[in-house]
Amino acid sequence: MILTRRAFTTGAISATVSGSLATQSLAQASTSAVAAAFAAIQRYGEAHRQHFNLPGMTLAVGVPNGVRQTFNFGFANADARTPITPDTLFQIGSISKVMVALLVHRYAAEGRLRLTDRVSDLLPSVPLPRGNTITVQHLLDHVAGIPGDAPTFAADGLWTAYAPGSHWHYSNTGYDILGKLTEHLSGKPLAQLLQEQILLPLGMARSRGAIIGADRLRYAQGYEAADQLAPYVRGVPLAPAPWVDVTFGAGSVASTANEMLSFLQALAGAAQGKGVLGLSPAQAREFVTHAVRSEAPGMTYGNGLMHVGTGGRNYLHHTGGMLSFSSSFHTDVGSGISAFASSTINAFAEYRPRLLTMFAVDAIGSAMAGKPVPSTPGLEPTLPNPASYAARYIGPSGGFEVQAGKLLTIVANGQSAPLEWLTEDIFRTTHPSFRQNSFLFERSGGAVSRAAWGSSSFIRAGAAGSIPSSDPAIAALAGRYVNDDPWYGPAPVVERGGRLWLGTETPMTKIGDNLWRIGRESWSPERASFSDFIDGRPQTFVFSGTKFTRHDI
């Protein structure tokens, strides 16, 4: 059954409480204040479920040595209307990285390696570039200069785009290498290391260090957009997401919300000067406080942890995205209050419950301080100056109109639909004429002057300029390329204005003979090439070491 937003509007909500109000700080907070905070958290969680069309979600919030409360929204399986139970597993995705980083630091504390060691000296079988200076810490911090999702053993070896430490580029490949390094040093599978050295010592008996089919019936069922070729827009029909075994260091852990609190509160203890899982107090504090500048405003990063601050609070934070789950956690470094949430929506829906976990921490923190529960953050992002997009746009293939209001609306061919803002000047829509690509609005002198949709360009009515000409030689490379691995899916390459784009919004810049850089940054390590030509048209597109096959329709 394909599911829609309507199918979940009457989904079951349950809340269970464990622990007691035993800590001094919570004892000082009034019962009514704590109850009001938990009620606000539950309402906000339900608002997330409805607004983002989430089939199911779990959330737990707790204070060290005190109260823990778990909320479950929707269903473990929306088709069967199966409830989420304390035993239901959710995949935590990239939050696993901090656990892998903790293993690495533990081995450093034991003297098996130094964080400044060159990775190629420790693990020479991994095909990093000859003569590279990538250290273990560079991989831990995502500053090694390697691509984000390239196969560790790419056909021609891995490559770097910049000197280690000079830029920040999130790399699952880097953490795959770190996972293999822990296996090399220990002689055990990563899953066993995670189980023996982190999960079981923290009492996380339900949790798993590997995602394997033998445990599949213990998991909530994840969902994805029924049409995986079109950009995700809220409210599109959903279908069950596929199962894939995951055992690599970038994201192999599954857990429950309640058990994740045990791990998060261990991190909070480390930040407050307590030893954790084989690290001395000094080593543990260094682990959770080390951070480098990232490319994301307001965030530093280190050892698998994002460091963010707002409203006078400093948080340890991370999110995780999988084929079936999207997760988030926040831990307030000062108070140790932590929250973890995981939802059964595919990572490519580009939703993470980060607003929910931060609000949960802040609401309990306010109750403990005797302050009112804070206002909940809005779920619809506030688009700066929406009126600046309102206009008629005209191109060789036709045109459309954007109308401003509470939300932007696109009108074309006698039909209208909302324009959903993604980021910067990028939008998506369910309008049937424009469903298959994103929109990119382009500016001249700060003002919106053009719009792009796939290979099509449009001029804003009254704006100066013209649509750049197409380049037939470049256009021959464009096509609908697909990889059947569900982690990758489609890779639409289009030609627009004499240059190549991955989708509507990601530019491809030629940097060599049949070699293209992917992304806007001049230092981006993502690369592409084309091969297997028939009549001048490539049948294979290679994106950062992964092959995609032409499937034109």
Side-chain angles (χ1 to χ4, degrees):
M1 180 177 95
I2 294 179
L3 303 175
T4 64
R5 181 183 299 271
R6 182 183 299 274
F8 308 124
T9 56
T10 57
I13 307 172
S14 64
T16 58
V17 182
S18 62
S20 63
L21 302 180
T23 61
Q24 181 180 2
S25 53
L26 274 178
Q28 293 171 346
S30 71
T31 302
S32 61
V34 173
F38 281 133
I41 292 167
Q42 183 170 4
R43 288 193 299 271
Y44 194 44
E46 173 62 6
H48 272 250
R49 186 189 66 80
Q50 294 190 33
H51 182 80
F52 293 106
N53 192 25
L54 305 176
M57 180 168 64
T58 188
L59 163 70
V61 58
V63 176
N65 302 319
V67 69
R68 289 187 179 190
Q69 182 152 333
T70 302
F71 302 90
N72 294 318
F73 307 88
F75 301 97
N77 186 306
D79 296 309
R81 301 178 72 84
T82 306
I84 300 168
T85 75
D87 294 319
T88 304
L89 289 177
F90 289 73
Q91 298 173 16
I92 72 172
S94 288
I95 297 171
S96 307
K97 289 180 172 68
V98 67
M99 297 185 183
V100 172
L102 188 53
L103 288 176
V104 172
H105 271 252
R106 183 167 176 168
Y107 290 162
E110 295 171 356
R112 302 195 203 187
L113 59 82
R114 293 172 298 179
L115 301 178
T116 55
D117 283 343
R118 200 171 74 106
V119 175
S120 291
D121 293 335
L122 296 171
L123 205 60
S125 53
V126 171
L128 289 165
R130 182 173 299 178
N132 76 85
T133 58
I134 296 170
T135 68
V136 174
Q137 192 65 62
H138 288 142
L139 292 183
L140 289 167
D141 296 341
H142 297 299
V143 295
I146 61 177
D149 288 289
T152 298
F153 292 90
D156 297 319
L158 290 170
W159 59 94
T160 57
Y162 52 81
S166 58
H167 293 285
W168 188 86
H169 186 78
Y170 194 88
S171 178
N172 288 317
T173 304
Y175 268 80
D176 184 25
I177 295 171
L178 289 170
K180 296 182 188 309
L181 177 60
T182 64
E183 293 180 330
H184 172 70
L185 293 172
S186 67
K188 295 181 178 180
L190 176 62
Q192 186 177 344
L193 297 175
L194 292 168
Q195 206 83 27
E196 294 176 350
Q197 298 185 27
I198 295 179
L199 302 178
L200 292 180
L202 291 175
M204 300 171 67
R206 295 183 175 95
S207 302
R208 293 290 181 267
I211 298 163
I212 57 174
D215 294 327
R216 185 173 184 179
L217 295 181
R218 300 185 57 213
Y219 284 79
Q221 172 62 55
Y223 292 83
E224 65 181 8
D227 180 3
Q228 283 289 288
L229 296 180
Y232 186 90
V233 182
R234 287 198 314 273
V236 298
L238 302 178
W243 177 270
V244 174
D245 281 13
V246 183
T247 60
F248 56 86
S252 64
V253 174
S255 188
T256 68
N258 183 60
E259 288 197 346
M260 280 301 296
L261 288 183
S262 297
F263 179 72
L264 299 183
Q265 291 177 353
L267 294 180
Q272 295 166 4
K274 300 175 183 177
V276 58
L277 296 171
L279 300 183
S280 70
Q283 291 165 340
R285 184 169 176 79
E286 171 63 20
F287 174 78
V288 298
T289 57
H290 166 81
V292 300
R293 180 184 62 85
S294 79
E295 303 296 330
M299 185 192 86
T300 57
Y301 194 102
N303 298 323
L305 289 167
M306 301 174 183
H307 297 254
V308 296
T310 182
R313 289 192 172 101
N314 293 313
Y315 307 90
L316 302 176
H317 170 57
H318 214 287
T319 62
M322 301 292 279
L323 292 176
S324 298
F325 299 88
S326 295
S327 308
S328 171
F329 81 82
H330 279 85
T331 293
D332 182 348
V333 173
S335 67
I337 303 171
S338 300
F340 170 85
S342 186
S343 58
T344 56
I345 194 73
N346 178 283
F348 304 123
E350 298 183 57
Y351 166 77
R352 306 290 186 275
R354 56 171 65 89
L355 291 176
L356 178 58
T357 52
M358 179 179 281
F359 174 76
V361 169
D362 291 349
I364 297 302
S366 296
M368 290 171 56
K371 298 179 180 179
V373 175
S375 300
T376 54
L379 299 181
E380 192 70 53
T382 302
L383 175 65
N385 194 14
S388 64
Y389 298 90
R392 176 76 182 167
Y393 296 83
I394 304 168
S397 59
F400 60 91
E401 182 181 359
V402 174
Q403 297 177 350
K406 186 176 181 180
L407 297 174
L408 291 182
T409 300
I410 181 171
V411 181
N413 303 323
Q415 295 179 282
S416 63
L419 271 178
E420 183 177 305
W421 182 38
L422 184 64
T423 183
E424 298 178 330
D425 288 321
I426 301 170
F427 296 79
R428 295 171 177 179
T429 184
T430 56
H431 193 293
S433 298
F434 297 98
R435 177 73 190 92
Q436 294 302 311
N437 291 294
S438 299
F439 275 101
L440 171 65
F441 289 89
E442 301 172 324
R443 296 176 180 268
S444 177
V448 176
S449 58
R450 293 192 307 191
W453 181 82
S455 60
S456 301
S457 294
F458 305 86
I459 293 288
R460 178 177 181 149
S466 60
I467 295 175
S469 301
S470 175
D471 183 336
I474 297 295
L477 302 176
R480 178 178 175 268
Y481 298 93
V482 175
N483 184 305
D484 290 334
D485 185 332
W487 283 109
Y488 296 104
V493 177
V494 305
E495 184 272 345
R496 188 175 70 245
R499 69 178 306 181
L500 287 182
W501 300 76
L502 188 59
T504 295
E505 64 271 27
T506 306
M508 298 175 59
T509 303
K510 191 169 186 178
I511 57 173
D513 184 21
N514 190 29
L515 185 63
W516 306 75
R517 183 179 66 239
I518 306 292
R520 296 183 180 278
E521 302 89 353
S522 61
W523 47 263
S524 170
E526 307 302 338
R527 299 288 183 263
S529 61
F530 299 88
S531 63
D532 306 323
F533 287 77
I534 296 177
D535 297 330
R537 300 166 70 236
Q539 305 303 300
T540 303
F541 171 63
V542 183
F543 173 49
S544 287
T546 298
K547 291 185 176 182
F548 294 74
T549 303
R550 181 183 287 273
H551 282 269
D552 289 339
I553 55 176

